[in-house]
Amino acid sequence: MNDSENTAQLPPDGYDPAGLREKYRQERDKRLRPNGNEQYLDISGEYAAFAADPYLSSSPGGQPRAPRIADVDTLVLGGGWAGLQMAVRLHEAGATDFLIVDQAGDFGGVWYWNRYPGVRCDVESYIYMPLLEEVGTVPTEKYAGGPEMLEHARAIGQTYDLYSRALLGTTVLDVTWSESNSRWAVRTDRGDVINARYLTIGTGPLSRAKLPGIKGIESFQGQAFHSSRWDYDITGGDWSGKLDKLADKRVALIGTGASSIQILPHLAESAQQVFLFQRTPSTVNARNNCLTDTAWFRSQEPGWQRQRMDNFVQTMSGMPVDDLVDDEATAMGKRIADAISADGEVDLARMATIDFEKMNEIRQRVVDTVENQDTAASLQPWYGYFCKRPLFSDEYYPAFNNDNVTLVDTDGRGVDHVTERGLVFDGVEYEVDLIIYGTGFDANAYTYQAGGYELTGRDGVSLAEHWQGGMRSLHGMMTTRFPNMFLIGGVEQAAISINLPHVTSYQARHVAELVARFLRAGVTVAEATLEAEQRWAHEMARVHVDHSRYESECTPGYYNNEGSRDSGRPSFADRQYGRGPIGYIAVIQDWAATDVDRDIAITTAGGQ
Ligand code: NDP
């Protein structure tokens, strides 16, 4: 960092860390709920209508088909980025006898489901969209829009002939280990029965939508949907906005997370009246999107994407490397580098100052953009920068300058209840025609819960039972009693960054190479040993970085278990490998080279 940058970041006069910290605590306390994660409703059972797929009939998976009864080498659960990378790497490794199953009607995962107006990736497309080099896709923008993501997922499917090996629009009912033939038996809602030697699960942490537990949701007589099931039949228009059926409609949007801040500007442009119900203000940075310089893109040397992905997490963690991505996200990484010494020691006081400075800048951004200063004051976030996922938008704050947009600041409380006609907060009923729930996903569910099916290993023990006392695994991917099973893209005992496909790109190669190796050797059962699990638990503990102090002062959210410190569950960050993605990738690569035989108990077709 040079001197002029330092000067620009000096805290304003009157900067008072102790006072700010106290303010953060007060704001956190308004938002704390005694029921933590339990405050949300799953979109199943009574609320299953919210889960209905508006896109199925126009998707490949929406077409009628006969039930599939098959024996395959590998069943790949999930057709999002994790599952697609898994399938491609299996294909490349020569383990081509696989089927992919996904509930969605097409490939794409979150990009299949999230089609709301304005949906766009927050992470640079050149590092976020996997397999760009392999497929030849050139993203049109630095931060590509949702339709382009979905198109790329379909292109991966076509390039690798995955559609012929996919059961789309298909919900898994149960997955059971069968001792008699050493295979996983998988049943689906379309009558399929698949017996698979190996099972990979990549169903993602953002696949289970949640509703707020607000009294009376079911009584609303108007239209309502979750942001991940956007219904253009109701709103008109498309991804680009122009929601022409809303011109005479009053709309309520609940939530101020990554989804809602992208949706709001389009509602502002189209609806008669918009009420945005805010519980906690977000930190919204500048986005600064731009078109792709295609000459630059095409001049990249083979292997560039992986290198750029690695470089992003290195920069984000404050390592002294050239910043290739060079955006608002990495700018913060470079700032925190100032608080990290050459031998990795973190200067906590300096880190706190950088954090306060950054948040002050965001608070200033709000005041500079939003004309109504009462609204601006309500939109200012009061918590540490790393408490919630930082967001990026150049349209969100200006949307509040439209006369038809009203911010209903619930001051940490949330909506009081829903009536037949609308929403009530603080004794005022806001009558609306449409409620949009931008209330997010159960990111705290273990990977195995996301699919919503029962997963049963040896001796009839479910994975939920097996992990009752906490997750036990080898590298977050394998676990005892669940032979031949690999979890990828999990949020626990592995490592993730805000660029989710990064670590999965390594895990997919890693698992594909293992499966191919086992298949070649005629392995019928490959199971992590107890000692291997213990070794990994020990290594996790050895390098553990304790986030509890910082997080205990954070506003609640999915990062810190909704602030419920007594739940006994580690927080999102505390469940990760302490050395982050780069350390984790090195561990699994070294392990694959030397320790497979030590850590995996193997039975071959000959019975050994
Ligand atoms: P989030 O979980 O981030 O946001 C949910 C919102 O709903 C929060 O503002 C929350 O308030 C609010 N809420 C929940 N319950 C209530 C209630 N009872 N009353 C009022 N408000 C309530 O969900 P998103 O869908 O926005 O994003 C989820 C994740 O998906 C992101 O973190 C990101 O990882 C990913 N994503 C990425 C995108 C991208 O890259 N562009 C786009 C969209 C999503 P509170 O803050 O108080 O909890």
Side-chain angles (χ1 to χ4, degrees):
M1 188 179 294
N2 63 38
D3 284 349
S4 63
E5 279 170 330
N6 257 329
T7 311
Q9 289 164 19
L10 278 179
D13 288 346
Y15 172 67
D16 165 19
L20 270 169
R21 195 169 293 121
E22 183 51 31
K23 168 84 174 155
Y24 285 7
R25 286 184 186 143
Q26 287 167 7
E27 293 297 318
R28 173 203 64 189
D29 290 350
K30 289 183 193 170
R31 170 60 182 78
L32 274 172
R33 295 281 176 288
N35 52 351
N37 281 307
E38 304 304 314
Q39 68 183 281
Y40 299 106
L41 304 172
D42 197 26
I43 54 171
S44 59
E46 194 182 341
Y47 305 101
F50 281 95
D53 180 353
Y55 324 114
L56 187 61
S57 60
S58 57
S59 302
Q63 310 314 310
R65 66 169 176 84
R68 190 84 172 253
I69 313 296
D71 277 9
V72 290
D73 285 341
T74 312
L75 188 73
V76 176
L77 292 188
W81 292 146
L84 285 169
Q85 293 186 91
M86 193 62 249
V88 167
R89 298 309 177 202
L90 283 170
H91 179 92
E92 287 175 346
T96 53
D97 179 28
F98 59 80
L99 279 174
I100 307 167
V101 180
D102 200 307
Q103 192 168 16
D106 205 339
F107 294 125
V110 291
W111 302 100
Y112 174 88
W113 294 109
N114 289 278
R115 303 194 193 193
Y116 58 77
V119 62
R120 189 177 283 287
C121 190
D122 280 353
V123 178
E124 191 198 58
S125 27
Y126 319 135
I127 57 169
Y128 175 79
M129 295 167 76
L131 303 163
L132 284 179
E133 289 187 74
E134 289 84 344
V135 175
T137 300
V138 182
T140 60
E141 295 171 279
K142 190 169 172 77
Y143 307 98
E148 221 170 297
M149 301 286 172
L150 191 50
E151 214 31 65
H152 179 58
R154 290 173 177 147
I156 296 170
Q158 278 148 8
T159 305
Y160 289 91
D161 188 25
L162 301 181
Y163 280 99
S164 66
R165 292 180 272 182
L167 304 175
L168 298 168
T170 302
T171 301
V172 169
L173 299 177
D174 48 51
V175 180
T176 312
W177 174 253
S178 164
E179 291 291 354
S180 60
N181 60 0
S182 302
R183 284 175 176 268
W184 288 99
V186 180
R187 295 187 314 125
T188 78
D189 66 340
R190 294 180 71 162
D192 310 304
V193 181
I194 313 295
N195 287 300
R197 178 73 71 202
Y198 297 98
L199 175 71
T200 71
I201 302 179
T203 42
L206 297 174
S207 57
R208 206 152 111 165
K210 66 186 190 202
L211 290 171
I214 305 172
K215 237 178 14 201
I217 284 190
E218 64 296 337
S219 61
F220 182 60
Q221 295 300 304
Q223 308 274 13
F225 53 75
H226 187 273
S227 58
S228 66
R229 300 290 188 280
W230 193 275
D231 191 338
Y232 286 102
D233 285 344
I234 295 174
T235 64
D238 58 25
W239 170 77
S240 65
K242 303 178 191 65
L243 311 167
D244 52 307
K245 291 188 183 171
L246 297 184
D248 58 353
K249 298 286 188 289
R250 292 159 63 86
V251 182
L253 174 60
I254 303 182
T256 53
S259 303
S260 293
I261 70 145
Q262 295 183 328
I263 293 168
L264 180 75
H266 294 283
L267 293 179
E269 173 188 86
S270 306
Q272 183 197 82
Q273 183 68 43
V274 187
F275 300 101
L276 176 69
F277 287 84
Q278 169 180 275
R279 196 164 66 171
T280 313
S282 283
T283 46
V284 186
N285 295 275
R287 177 183 279 282
N288 299 325
N289 199 4
C290 60
L291 293 176
T292 298
D293 174 347
T294 48
W296 162 81
F297 189 90
R298 292 193 192 287
S299 72
Q300 298 299 301
E301 298 289 331
W304 68 267
Q305 191 179 26
R306 190 188 260 225
Q307 193 195 346
R308 197 173 177 93
M309 282 179 165
D310 290 346
N311 175 271
F312 177 74
V313 289
Q314 287 162 345
T315 313
M316 291 294 283
S317 52
M319 286 169 70
V321 290
D322 281 349
D323 174 13
L324 299 178
V325 171
D326 192 19
D327 67 0
E328 279 288 314
T330 58
M332 189 56 179
K334 286 183 285 189
R335 280 167 78 162
I336 65 170
D338 193 39
I340 303 174
S341 72
D343 56 6
E345 283 298 305
V346 179
D347 177 345
L348 291 176
R350 179 73 193 121
M351 192 69 110
T353 308
I354 293 169
D355 194 311
F356 284 140
E357 288 167 352
K358 178 68 185 171
M359 291 305 287
N360 280 344
E361 286 165 18
I362 291 177
R363 290 187 279 268
Q364 190 60 43
R365 182 167 191 245
V366 182
V367 172
D368 291 345
T369 318
V370 177
E371 289 157 10
N372 181 317
Q373 288 299 298
D374 290 338
T375 304
S378 294
L379 287 168
Q380 287 184 321
W382 294 97
Y383 47 82
Y385 186 71
F386 297 103
C387 290
K388 273 174 133 33
R389 183 172 161 120
L391 309 180
F392 307 88
S393 170
D394 297 331
E395 294 86 29
Y396 177 65
Y397 290 140
F400 292 95
N401 295 334
N402 289 33
D403 291 341
N404 63 339
V405 176
T406 302
L407 176 70
V408 183
D409 179 13
T410 68
D411 200 22
R413 270 166 52 190
V415 176
D416 288 336
H417 60 274
V418 181
T419 67
E420 286 183 9
R421 291 173 302 273
L423 304 169
V424 176
F425 175 70
D426 221 8
V428 178
E429 183 175 33
Y430 297 83
E431 288 190 30
V432 293
D433 303 290
L434 168 65
I435 300 176
I436 299 163
Y437 291 97
T439 44
F441 304 86
D442 187 359
N444 273 307
Y446 286 121
T447 304
Y448 71 93
Q449 288 176 322
Y453 48 82
E454 191 71 16
L455 178 50
T456 311
R458 286 192 195 276
D459 310 318
V461 172
S462 74
L463 196 54
E465 288 163 345
H466 182 54
W467 283 345
Q468 214 159 28
M471 183 175 174
R472 314 193 323 233
S473 78
L474 173 58
H475 304 148
M477 287 190 276
M478 297 184 80
T479 186
T480 52
R481 286 183 137 182
F482 290 77
N484 299 5
M485 183 185 91
F486 303 90
L487 301 169
I488 67 167
V491 296
E492 193 151 359
Q493 300 204 352
I496 57 169
S497 78
I498 63 167
N499 185 24
L500 284 175
H502 176 228
V503 171
T504 44
S505 73
Y506 283 91
Q507 288 180 321
R509 274 177 202 273
H510 177 82
V511 170
E513 279 157 22
L514 281 178
V515 167
R517 171 173 167 174
F518 293 153
L519 284 171
R520 279 195 304 272
V523 171
T524 51
V525 182
E527 183 175 358
T529 64
L530 203 54
E531 293 73 30
E533 273 186 354
Q534 285 163 348
R535 216 173 279 124
W536 184 235
H538 184 263
E539 169 65 6
M540 289 276 302
R542 191 180 70 82
V543 302
H544 178 68
V545 178
D546 185 6
H547 297 86
S548 59
R549 180 145 176 246
Y550 185 86
E551 288 179 345
S552 69
E553 297 195 346
C554 279
T555 185
Y558 71 83
Y559 273 23
N560 68 347
N561 255 334
E562 290 294 332
S564 50
R565 272 158 275 149
D566 305 328
S567 69
R569 287 196 66 187
S571 74
F572 210 71
D574 278 338
R575 279 179 264 156
Q576 313 289 315
Y577 182 58
R579 290 202 165 146
I582 297 295
Y584 175 79
I585 289 163
V587 165
I588 62 172
Q589 286 179 332
D590 290 349
W591 177 87
T594 53
D595 296 330
V596 178
D597 295 339
R598 182 196 65 189
D599 287 345
I600 308 283
I602 279 187
T603 309
T604 57
Q608 303 198 324

